[in-house]
Amino acid sequence: MHRGTSIMAVAAVVALSGSLAACSGGGSTSPSAQGSGGGKVTLTFWNGFTGGDRPGVEHLVSQFNSTHKDIQIQMQIMPWDVFYQKLLPAYGSGKGPDLTAMDSNQLPVYAAKGVFQPLDDIFSGGGLDKNKLVKGGVDAGQYQGKQYGIPANFTPTLLYYNKDLLNKAGITSPPANWSQWVADLRKLTLPGGANGKPKQYGMALGVHDTIEVLPILLWENGGGITSPDGKKATLDNPASVQAVKYWAHLITQDHISPIGLSGADADKLMSSGNAAMEVNGPWLTSTLDEAKINYGVSMVPAGPRTQTTLADSVQFSLSSKADPSKKKAAETFLSYWNSATSQKYFAKKTGFPPTRTDVSPSELGGNPALAQFAMYSSKGQTLLPGNQHFAQIQTEVFDPTIEKILNNKGDVGSLLTQANQQLEPLLAGS
């Protein structure tokens, strides 16, 4: 998984969401697929796990099929952009998959239109202990108080740092709080580049086409895009405004990061050794390994009010057309996927931390980066969980406002007030 994938998902969902009104599920209706007469139940399963996580997904599905002769998973893997382009038309024609795995930010769009069915029963009698799953992963699958998703993966974003650049600057450990972080970023930003720009940046901070980093900084200062319950817009509250002003000044005046980086730009800057730090998920490790960067991973430094970070999650969902036999079969598969044994394997194979709280970092094969991601999973929270307008909020409100601020297109407080007014109607009913 990711990053770039969720942006393509945003575009696809925005473009196609209008057609959802005609959809209400899908899934196979053949007798063998439905398990009529007590026979084998076949579940069709679509996902976009085409990256480094694909072998882990294929292994778990194959192992499940070989050990559950009465349930078979027929899996189709495709690129995430293709997945989102195909999914709605397939449900609209009654040929959609029984199971899907999709970014948690997109799940509410489908749940709101009746495409998926609630899966709360899996916790009350379906064999999966809710208390043994990372809370953020469970929360990410909820919409209007019901559980429409069960975690396929859940990971916090953490601070990557270039050990060689820190050592060269005389910095012996990663920063633990904002004061240390800012001091380090300034020290690691070196003049002497082309056109008066730094030759080395303290940080590569992506602000569009990427997993969002700035919301973490708002949260850690006591602000946020919305209130914790997601019902009130809070971009214009003092804590949010203060955080944006503070970090915008660091970017535009102290030049700790280039202005307007995409996620891909930030990764390139980090992997080229021209940036000392970046906040990102476990998918960055393979890029840095290939570039032979000597890096470490630590928790995002604590802010003035709290220490938290943004999490990313893919969630399993079940078609609203799936009958009781399919639902029971799906519960069996999802419980298997989220078992301690499966999660230990998946974590070691993919670098994603386990979805469970009862798998310790010491059980994950001695991978130091993976151990860090597992250690801090409980600190992660997804952005705007349960809000069906996530795509619009990100691409039409938040990102453009930050872009204006970083390019000095207006007063920070006034721009955030305008954004807050745009945001309010998008929270109604979510």
Side-chain angles (χ1 to χ4, degrees):
M1 186 70 181
H2 280 68
R3 277 304 92 166
T5 57
S6 73
I7 301 304
M8 293 185 288
V10 164
V13 171
V14 168
L16 295 173
S17 59
S19 65
L20 271 167
C23 305
S24 58
S28 172
T29 57
S30 68
S32 62
Q34 290 185 357
S36 60
K40 181 172 69 176
V41 177
T42 299
L43 297 173
T44 53
F45 173 34
W46 289 11
N47 64 71
F49 292 120
T50 57
D53 40 13
R54 179 171 185 158
V57 174
E58 290 178 327
H59 173 85
L60 287 181
V61 170
S62 176
Q63 188 177 64
F64 178 86
N65 284 340
S66 68
T67 56
H68 295 75
K69 298 302 183 182
D70 56 337
I71 305 171
Q72 293 293 286
I73 308 295
Q74 290 184 350
M75 182 167 63
Q76 186 173 352
I77 300 176
M78 64 198 81
W80 286 107
D81 56 339
V82 175
F83 169 88
Y84 286 105
Q85 290 165 7
K86 291 180 63 174
L87 190 61
L88 299 183
Y91 278 136
S93 65
K95 298 179 180 179
D98 302 307
L99 276 175
T100 62
M102 67 170 62
D103 193 291
S104 63
N105 290 320
Q106 311 311 323
L107 187 153
V109 177
Y110 297 80
K113 300 297 182 179
V115 171
F116 296 142
Q117 61 177 286
L119 290 167
D120 302 80
D121 291 348
I122 195 171
F123 297 133
S124 60
L128 188 57
D129 187 347
K130 185 178 187 177
N131 296 320
K132 291 184 178 179
L133 296 179
V134 177
K135 183 179 183 299
V138 175
D139 293 346
Q142 294 175 355
Y143 174 70
Q144 293 191 339
K146 293 183 179 181
Q147 198 74 39
Y148 284 91
I150 301 297
N153 62 42
F154 179 83
T155 182
T157 55
L158 297 181
L159 181 70
Y160 286 82
Y161 56 95
N162 185 314
K163 292 182 178 180
D164 293 337
L165 297 185
L166 266 65
N167 289 337
K168 190 174 180 179
I171 301 169
T172 58
S173 60
N177 55 53
W178 277 21
S179 295
Q180 294 175 8
W181 196 9
V182 171
D184 289 350
L185 292 176
R186 286 173 170 153
K187 193 171 185 178
L188 290 161
T189 300
L190 305 179
N195 302 316
K197 296 179 180 179
K199 66 178 181 181
Q200 175 182 296
Y201 291 92
M203 188 172 179
L205 199 157
V207 294
H208 68 91
D209 296 332
T210 183
I211 190 163
E212 300 283 6
V213 176
L214 282 169
I216 303 170
L217 307 176
L218 270 64
W219 289 333
E220 290 201 326
N221 198 50
I225 297 176
T226 71
S227 56
D229 62 7
K231 295 181 179 180
K232 182 181 179 181
T234 57
L235 278 174
D236 66 346
N237 78 15
S240 298
V241 175
Q242 182 186 49
V244 173
K245 283 183 176 179
Y246 184 66
W247 285 93
H249 181 89
L250 288 168
I251 295 169
T252 62
Q253 304 303 312
D254 293 340
H255 311 293
I256 62 158
S257 171
I259 294 172
L261 291 181
S262 68
D265 294 333
D267 293 351
K268 185 176 181 180
L269 199 64
M270 185 73 183
S271 62
S272 67
N274 292 317
M277 299 184 190
E278 182 183 0
V279 175
N280 213 327
W283 45 86
L284 182 61
T285 57
S286 59
T287 300
L288 298 184
D289 287 339
E290 290 172 8
K292 301 188 184 309
I293 298 295
N294 180 23
Y295 66 91
V297 182
S298 65
M299 178 58 187
V300 175
R305 295 291 298 275
T306 190
Q307 186 173 38
T308 188
T309 190
L310 186 67
D312 184 73
S313 181
V314 172
Q315 297 275 322
F316 291 111
S317 292
L318 181 65
S319 167
S320 60
K321 294 293 187 181
D323 66 13
S325 65
K326 285 191 174 186
K327 183 177 182 181
K328 183 177 180 180
E331 290 175 347
T332 300
F333 173 67
L334 300 183
S335 297
Y336 159 85
W337 179 280
N338 283 288
S339 68
T341 299
S342 294
Q343 283 302 300
K344 288 176 191 176
Y345 169 83
F346 192 70
K348 288 187 280 190
K349 185 72 174 177
T350 66
F352 277 76
T355 58
R356 297 177 65 96
T357 59
D358 57 350
V359 177
S360 70
S362 63
E363 297 178 88
L364 300 178
N367 181 331
L370 174 56
Q372 289 292 100
F373 281 101
M375 183 182 302
Y376 293 112
S377 281
S378 62
K379 294 282 189 180
Q381 55 181 308
T382 53
L383 186 61
L384 304 169
N387 191 301
Q388 61 182 296
H389 301 296
F390 169 85
Q392 193 174 353
I393 291 170
Q394 183 183 39
T395 62
E396 298 181 17
V397 181
F398 188 74
D399 288 357
T401 299
I402 297 301
E403 182 179 0
K404 290 176 184 176
I405 290 170
L406 294 179
N407 286 281
N408 297 313
K409 298 295 185 181
D411 173 74
V412 174
S414 298
L415 288 171
L416 289 174
T417 295
Q418 294 171 18
N420 212 65
Q421 293 169 349
Q422 289 178 270
L423 184 57
E424 286 173 345
L426 299 177
L427 302 181
S430 292

